[in-house]
Amino acid sequence: MLPKPSQLFTSLAAVTVLATGCGGDKSPPAPPTEVCTGTTVLDVLPGTYPNAVDLSGTGALEVAVLGDATLDARTLDPATASLSDPDGSAPSVSAEALLREEDVNEDGQPDAVLRFPLPSLVGQGVLHAEVSRLKLDARTRSGTEVSGCDRAHASDHLLRRLPAPTGPYAVGTTTFDWVDTSRDETFTDAKKDKRELRVRVWYPASPVPRAQPAPYFLVRREGIAQLKEDGLDTPARLLDFVHAHAVAEAPLPADDTRFPVILFSPGAGVPPTFYTSLLEELASHGYVVAATSHTYTTGAVIFPDGRYAPTTEEPGGLFGTPFFDVTVADLRFVLSRVRALDTGDTQGRFTGRLDLERVGVFGHSIGGAASAIVCQTEPGVRACANIDGTFQGSWKKGVSQPFLVMHTQASDDGTHRSFIKDRRATVYEVAVSQSGHLTFSDLPLLLELVKTHDSKVTAESLDTGTLEPAERAAAITRAWVLAFAEERVKGSGESPLLQGGSGDYPEVTLTAHPR
C-alpha cells in the first residue's frame, strides 16, 4: 500500500510499502455509488481534447451527443436538454433552442451538437475552478430519456497528461473479470468464495478517428477508493485531471498479426492503473499487456456488479508466504486465461491474435519477485523482469530464462546480488540513480497534482525519487523495460541499450551478467 503522507519508506520497500491502515479487521467503507452512468456517449467541445474551458468566455459551450445503433441523435429535443456538474449541487443549465447535426466522431452515425451559454454555466456554478466532468440529461421527441458524462476542466487547472506512447500502434484498453474455480478465496471468511480477479489489458489498436481516450481509472469508483486507502487528503475528483492515451474497446489492427504477450504484476497496495505510462508504451510497440489486480492485496477493486474489494492484506514482512504464493498462483491462472483468449475470446477481439510463443512476465516490487517464480514454473515463458522487488519463495533455484533486474542505485538487496551470482541465464542489471521505490510507477508524474490538494505529500513521503522532471523517471523506466522486451520477448534483435549503450540516460548503470 502507498504510504500516508507522514510515513517514510525504508529499505524494506523493495518488498512492499510500509503503511498503516491496510489489513486488520476493519475494512474501509465502499466508495459512493457512481452518479454518472449514462445511456450514451458525450463529447464536450467536439474536435478538441482535453476539454479545457475558459471560464471567462462569453459564448456557448458545445456538447455533442454521439448517435449509435440504438440512438438517432437527431431526435433529441433541445428544450429538454440540461447540463450539470454531477459531483456538485449547482442547479443545471438549459440548452439553447436549436441543435446542429454533424458526424462528430466520423463513424457514419449522425450526432447532435447542443449549445449551452457559458456565462450561465459559470454563474450557476456548473462550470467552476475544480470542475472535472459534466453530465447531460435530455429526452428524445418520443420521450426516451438520454444521459451521459464527459470530462471537462477549467483551462487554468493543473492537468497531468501522461507521456505519449512512442510506438507505431495506437493503444486500446479493456478489462476482464475472471474467476479461478479451482481455488478458494483465502482472504475472506466466506467459505464458498472462489478467487476472482480483475485484469486490465492494454493492446495495440487501430486508430479510432476523433475518439477520446478512456479515463485514467476505467472504473472511477476504483480510483476514488484508492485515494482513500492511500490516506491522501485529496478530493474524489482528483484523478479526473489525469489523462492517458488508450481508447476503451478500440479494435485491433485489421490484419492478422499475432502480438506477443506480457503479464504484469504490480506492487503491494498499488493498482495496475498506476503503471499506465509504462504499459501504454509497451502496447504501442506491439505487445498485449495483461495487468492483474490481485484482489485484496494490490489496491481497490470494483467488480462489474459493483462489489468493492479493498486492500486488506499485507505481505507481513520480507517473506509473507500466503500473500506471495497467492500472487504467483494468480499470475499462473491469468496466463492460462490469456491462452484461452487466443483460442476463443467471447468478444472476438483477441481470438487468434496472441503470439503465445512469445510471452514475458514482468512486475514491480512483490510482483517482480513473483515473476521469477512464474518463470520457474512456466517454461513456455521467454523472459521475466523484476523491477525493484526483493526475491521471495523458491528464487534460489534460479531461472533459466533471460532476466531483467531493475533497482535503485542505492539498493543493497542481498537477494539481487545472490540471484545474479547464481544465475542460470543472462541477467541484465539496471541501476537508476536518484530513484525511489515508486520511481518505476506513474507516481512521480502525479506528484505535483496530488500536492495541489495535500501539501504534506512530498517525493520523499511517496518514495518517488528525485529525478527531474518527472517525465525523466517515466522515460527511463519505459526505455529499459521496452528494450528488454524487444530483445528477449519479441526477439527483434540486439537492443543498443542492452549492449552497453547508455543512450541519453546517464542516470542508468547497466551491468550485463552473461550466463
Side-chain angles (χ1 to χ4, degrees):
M1 180 166 182
L2 301 182
K4 294 184 179 180
S6 62
Q7 296 170 311
L8 302 179
F9 286 84
T10 71
S11 60
L12 294 181
V15 182
T16 185
V17 178
L18 298 182
T20 60
C22 287
D25 296 328
K26 186 177 181 180
S27 297
T33 301
E34 175 56 67
V35 297
C36 230
T37 52
T39 63
T40 191
V41 179
L42 301 187
D43 187 357
V44 173
L45 294 174
T48 67
Y49 179 82
N51 303 323
V53 183
D54 181 0
L55 301 188
S56 65
T58 57
L61 179 73
E62 292 195 335
V63 179
V65 179
L66 304 186
D68 56 29
T70 63
L71 173 66
D72 183 348
R74 296 171 296 184
T75 66
L76 282 177
D77 181 358
T80 67
S82 64
L83 203 62
S84 63
D85 170 12
D87 307 308
S89 56
S92 60
V93 172
S94 297
E96 294 179 355
L98 299 177
L99 61 77
R100 183 175 79 251
E101 297 177 14
E102 179 184 344
D103 185 3
V104 168
N105 57 347
E106 300 177 0
D107 66 348
Q109 298 280 358
D111 307 316
V113 180
L114 297 162
R115 291 169 54 88
F116 295 86
L118 266 172
S120 297
L121 290 170
V122 175
Q124 294 281 44
V126 173
L127 286 175
H128 51 87
E130 288 297 324
V131 70
S132 64
R133 55 185 189 161
L134 296 171
K135 183 175 188 289
L136 179 137
D137 290 285
R139 291 192 301 275
T140 64
R141 294 188 183 93
S142 63
T144 301
E145 293 187 355
V146 176
S147 63
C149 271
D150 192 18
R151 286 169 291 171
H153 66 279
S155 56
D156 60 353
H157 194 285
L158 178 62
L159 189 73
R160 170 47 75 186
R161 296 192 72 177
L162 300 186
T166 64
Y169 293 100
V171 180
T173 187
T174 189
T175 58
F176 293 93
D177 182 68
W178 288 331
V179 179
D180 187 350
T181 57
S182 69
R183 285 193 295 156
D184 292 331
E185 178 55 80
T186 58
F187 295 144
T188 65
D189 296 329
K191 294 181 179 180
K192 294 184 179 180
D193 279 2
K194 297 296 182 180
R195 185 69 173 159
E196 184 174 3
L197 301 172
R198 292 286 284 168
V199 177
R200 183 168 176 185
V201 179
W202 286 262
Y203 56 89
S206 292
V208 180
R210 305 188 76 174
Q212 296 198 53
Y216 184 57
F217 272 82
L218 293 183
V219 179
R220 188 173 187 263
R221 293 178 66 220
E222 217 164 69
I224 293 171
Q226 188 62 44
L227 292 175
K228 292 297 183 183
E229 287 191 11
D230 295 342
L232 298 173
D233 186 16
T234 56
R237 64 178 85 204
L238 178 78
L239 294 174
D240 295 336
F241 298 105
V242 181
H243 287 248
H245 303 274
V247 173
E249 311 302 333
L252 266 74
D255 58 21
D256 58 357
T257 301
R258 284 183 176 266
F259 297 103
V261 174
I262 292 176
L263 268 57
F264 185 83
S265 180
V270 188
T273 297
F274 281 165
Y275 301 88
T276 295
S277 176
L278 170 61
L279 305 185
E280 285 189 336
E281 174 74 347
L282 290 169
S284 77
H285 285 270
Y287 297 87
V288 173
V289 185
T292 302
S293 291
H294 299 276
T295 315
Y296 304 113
T297 69
T298 57
V301 173
I302 305 291
F303 289 111
D305 61 3
R307 284 174 295 126
Y308 168 46
T311 304
T312 59
E313 307 300 316
E314 296 178 10
L318 275 175
F319 301 100
T321 302
F323 185 112
F324 183 70
D325 289 348
V326 168
T327 302
V328 172
D330 287 348
L331 287 173
R332 298 188 68 190
F333 168 67
V334 169
L335 179 57
S336 72
R337 292 306 302 260
V338 167
R339 288 169 174 156
L341 273 183
D342 184 66
T343 302
D345 179 4
T346 55
Q347 297 181 350
R349 179 179 290 121
F350 296 109
T351 302
R353 303 304 301 272
L354 306 180
D355 186 347
L356 299 176
E357 298 298 317
R358 295 187 291 175
V359 175
V361 181
F362 297 176
H364 175 236
S365 194
I366 199 166
S371 75
I373 311 307
V374 177
C375 252
Q376 284 182 348
T377 55
E378 298 285 348
V381 172
R382 293 188 69 169
C384 289
N386 178 358
I387 304 173
D388 209 36
T390 293
F391 287 101
Q392 299 187 50
S394 60
W395 64 275
K396 289 186 177 181
K397 294 180 180 178
V399 171
S400 59
Q401 298 96 321
F403 209 94
L404 172 68
V405 174
M406 197 168 187
H407 55 68
T408 65
Q409 189 76 56
S411 174
D412 58 356
D413 192 314
T415 68
H416 287 193
R417 294 194 299 272
S418 180
F419 180 84
I420 292 168
K421 176 177 178 295
D422 298 328
R423 63 192 177 277
R424 293 168 49 193
T426 298
V427 176
Y428 298 97
E429 181 185 10
V430 176
V432 184
S433 65
Q434 304 175 62
S435 62
H437 187 53
L438 289 175
T439 291
F440 310 103
S441 72
D442 288 346
L443 268 295
L445 297 166
L446 307 186
L447 180 60
E448 288 305 312
L449 182 60
V450 173
K451 286 169 63 176
T452 60
H453 293 280
D454 192 338
S455 60
K456 300 184 296 298
V457 174
T458 65
E460 184 179 27
S461 69
L462 286 186
D463 202 14
T464 54
T466 58
L467 285 164
E468 293 289 346
E471 290 79 4
R472 186 68 177 169
I476 288 171
T477 303
R478 288 167 24 141
W480 289 89
V481 173
L482 175 63
F484 179 71
E486 293 283 270
E487 180 172 320
R488 292 301 191 165
V489 177
K490 188 182 290 183
S492 297
E494 292 185 346
S495 164
L497 280 182
L498 296 185
Q499 305 310 314
S502 63
D504 296 323
Y505 307 106
E507 304 92 339
V508 177
T509 301
L510 167 71
T511 308
H513 303 274
R515 180 178 176 180

